[in-house]
Amino acid sequence: MKSSIRAAIVLAIVFSVSIYTGMSFRRGHVDEQLYPSAALTSTLKLSAYSPEIAGSRADTEIFEFESGTQGGTVLILGGTHCDEPASYIAAYLALENIEVLQGRALIIPRANRSALTHNLPGEAHPQKFDVPTEHGLRSFRMGSRYTNPLDQWPDPEVYVHYPSGQELSGADSRNLNRCYPGRKGGTFTEQIAHAIATFIEAEDVDLVIDLHEASLEYPVINAIVAHERAMDCAANAVLELQLEGLDFALEPSPPNYHGLSHRELGDHTSCFATLMESANVIQGRLRGRTTPELVLTGHDPMYMKAAQIEMTRVPYDSSGISLEVRVGRHLAGMQKLISSFSGLNPEKQIVISGLPSYGELLERKLGTYLLPK
Ligand SMILES: [Zn+2]
């Protein structure tokens, strides 16, 4: 009798835990609510340009902000790598605050939607983090660098990039930023890349800004990477950022490193392809305890030690590198790339407003600009 009661209790516990984890798993597959600014003119689906992804998690929303005044078109890509929170938070903030006075802005905040549905195994990353706003905490999901294996599995031993034939690690077959220009009928991730490249051509996108983060020991950091056609535009932007006290490096896109947006979108479409990197402690190999607070503060005692022995590629001190700093750098870089592009292409002006400056974001904090409406 005693053992039956014990068995019933164990069963009840197992059942409750299964229900709880099952619900939590399901919640991870529901898109977070976004609140586009009043300037939104339409919401499109990526599958409208590549029907083969319709109905799958490869499909994602495209937010269009059309000024009604003739000009150029900028595309902002967030959430290519979903363990890089400043990437998609900057895109969310832009789409929730932007006004477009001339030309058109297109924003894909969740470029790889599948990567937001899981975490990287073995990294102890938090599942979510909370940004304080005056209406309370707003929760955001933390995702992965890669497509969810539920959507693409198994990985090959060696990933052979299409069409270059370049060989990369097997896991990179699920890395959207190693799959451009993608291919029709290819893997799940290649199909996303192909759909984005098709969309860029179909909509005559002039300037692409792909938002990323990297660890502090990674050589390409606090940087704008540019395809050769976009180099003048990026160089002007970097000069202007430097004049405002924001240190950015200018990196040419390596011609023989394939699969990356700044290389393949530049080579296979007519756009100016650029990519930005900010410094994210949570991706670093040298970090200590990994908590949701670390996503927000970027303050890590182990990186303090690493900086003291010059093992970081960016300045690092007790102030950390907060999410405000990283999103602020992305927004500043984005605005300078757009104004620089417009200066060089007067017939394709793009004029945006509504986004905070770097200083304003640091002073007023993220939550001021991420208010649920
Ligand atoms: Zn990245």
Side-chain angles (χ1 to χ4, degrees), residues 164-307:
S164 71
Q166 170 187 267
E167 293 183 354
L168 288 161
S169 76
D172 274 328
S173 65
R174 288 182 290 120
N175 178 349
L176 176 57
N177 206 29
R178 297 296 180 276
C179 285
Y180 287 109
R183 67 175 139 180
K184 199 172 181 198
T187 64
F188 179 94
T189 315
E190 284 175 329
Q191 288 181 28
I192 301 174
H194 175 259
I196 291 174
T198 305
F199 162 71
I200 287 170
E201 275 298 83
E203 291 295 331
D204 282 331
V205 172
D206 298 298
L207 172 65
V208 171
I209 305 173
D210 188 11
L211 303 174
H212 286 258
E213 297 204 90
S215 64
L216 281 60
E217 57 272 28
Y218 187 64
V220 181
I221 191 76
N222 281 357
I224 297 182
V225 189
H227 185 268
E228 46 275 20
R229 262 199 334 280
M231 192 46 88
D232 285 352
C233 170
N236 276 350
V238 166
L239 267 177
E240 290 202 24
L241 289 160
Q242 302 277 16
L243 285 172
E244 291 182 8
L246 284 171
D247 200 12
F248 273 77
L250 177 63
E251 304 278 350
S253 168
N256 295 324
Y257 191 9
H258 290 284
L260 293 106
S261 62
H262 48 75
R263 169 52 40 208
E264 308 297 345
L265 293 177
D267 283 355
H268 293 269
T269 77
S270 53
C271 77
F272 281 22
T274 66
L275 179 149
M276 292 171 56
E277 296 275 11
S278 59
N280 178 17
V281 160
I282 213 157
Q283 283 176 273
R285 300 267 64 84
L286 308 177
R287 71 180 187 274
R289 192 164 164 243
T290 307
T291 61
E293 289 68 42
L294 187 58
V295 177
L296 299 182
T297 64
H299 176 256
D300 181 288
M302 300 311 290
Y303 267 106
M304 293 273 296
K305 291 183 181 172

Side-chain angles (χ1 to χ4, degrees), residues 57-77:
R57 257 195 298 268
D59 200 2
T60 192
E61 285 174 318
I62 305 162
F63 297 87
E64 181 182 45
F65 302 85
E66 165 65 73
S67 68
T69 307
Q70 198 178 358
T73 297
V74 58
L75 168 64
I76 294 158
L77 284 174

Side-chain angles (χ1 to χ4, degrees), residues 9-54:
I9 291 171
V10 169
L11 258 179
I13 292 171
V14 168
F15 187 68
S16 314
V17 169
S18 306
I19 295 279
Y20 175 79
T21 52
M23 284 170 64
S24 158
F25 179 83
R26 298 286 298 182
R27 269 199 304 276
H29 290 73
V30 177
D31 287 341
E32 288 162 333
Q33 177 76 47
L34 300 176
Y35 307 93
S37 78
L40 182 76
T41 43
S42 63
T43 307
L44 314 163
K45 283 282 197 180
L46 191 56
S47 58
Y49 301 84
S50 191
E52 68 179 346
I53 62 169

Side-chain angles (χ1 to χ4, degrees), residues 81 84 145 212-213:
H81 294 147
E84 299 170 9
R145 182 173 180 81
H212 286 258
E213 297 204 90

